[in-house]
Amino acid sequence: AMDVGVMVVALIAKHLKNGYFIIRPGEGYEYVLFITLSCFALGAIGGGKVSLDHAFSLHLHGWLYGGKGVAVTAIGVIGAFGLLVVFWRPAAKAESS
């Protein structure tokens, strides 16, 4: 969820305005979007047999663990928007005379 949040911040703050392809000037959002979706997929699917949950024989259930995709998306996006609200200050547009 943290990686999803960081990539959403990068997507909104830097790359979204430059278009899709990363080869464009200013770097587009193609690569950042791929990382975001990959982190979401890994978070939603889980670690399986290589996870700490499996190693310690924890059987986690409930809305947070059963709906992993929802939890990863919600925590990541809420964290991203929290960071954007607190820290992001878009550059002011210069006035032409």
Side-chain angles (χ1 to χ4, degrees), residues 2 18 21 23 31 36 47 56-57 63 66-67 70 72-73 88-89:
M2 290 186 298
N18 297 325
F21 293 105
I23 57 174
Y31 184 63
T36 305
F56 293 118
S57 298
W63 70 272
V70 174
V72 167
T73 303
W88 185 44
R89 302 291 180 256

Side-chain angles (χ1 to χ4, degrees), residues 11-33:
L11 180 72
I12 292 172
K14 170 84 172 114
H15 298 280
L16 197 59
K17 64 184 178 214
N18 297 325
Y20 179 73
F21 293 105
I22 196 151
I23 57 174
R24 295 183 56 145
E27 299 178 357
Y29 62 88
E30 150 190 32
Y31 184 63
V32 173
L33 186 64

Side-chain angles (χ1 to χ4, degrees), residues 78-94:
I78 289 169
F81 283 114
L83 284 171
L84 288 171
V85 165
V86 173
F87 295 108
W88 185 44
R89 302 291 180 256
K93 294 182 180 179

